[in-house]
């Protein structure tokens, strides 16, 4: 999922404001490190935001779909 956003953040002693794209990726936990490495190498940011969210509950049909389509 891609969402255009306006960001404000503290960077190197001052507040920066930029238009960015927030990307939400859905995958299996086992893929996190590989995805993190790819984003760090290709994002263009010195410190890209890469956050893993542990899901406590998910509907079974969606979980089954993820299991089918994600390696």
């Amino acid at each position: 999922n891609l969402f255009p956003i306006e960001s404000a953040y503290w960077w190197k002693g001052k507040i920066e404001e930029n238009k960015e794209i927030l990307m939400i990726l859905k995958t299996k936990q086992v893929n996190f490190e590989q995805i993190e490495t790819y984003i760090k190498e290709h994002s263009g940011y010195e410190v890209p935001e890469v956050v893993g969210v542990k899901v406590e509950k998910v509907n079974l049909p969606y979980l089954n779909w993820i299991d089918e389509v994600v390696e």
Side-chain angles (χ1 to χ4, degrees), residues 27-53:
T27 191
K28 297 177 183 179
Q29 183 175 348
V30 68
N31 296 330
F32 181 84
E33 288 184 23
Q34 182 180 2
I35 291 168
E36 179 185 28
T37 298
Y38 184 90
I39 291 170
K40 286 178 178 179
E41 291 174 357
H42 295 91
S43 73
Y45 284 95
E46 189 175 330
V47 183
E49 177 183 6
V50 183
V51 177
V53 178

Side-chain angles (χ1 to χ4, degrees), residues 49-68:
E49 177 183 6
V50 183
V51 177
V53 178
K54 187 171 183 175
V55 177
E56 290 184 30
K57 296 181 182 181
V58 62
N59 63 313
L60 190 55
Y62 185 79
L63 183 59
N64 290 338
W65 175 76
I66 288 288
D67 281 338
E68 287 176 19

Side-chain angles (χ1 to χ4, degrees), residues 15-28:
I15 295 176
E16 297 283 341
E17 295 184 32
N18 288 300
K19 292 184 179 187
E20 299 180 302
I21 301 294
L22 171 66
M23 179 171 52
I24 298 175
L25 303 173
K26 300 157 197 154
T27 191
K28 297 177 183 179

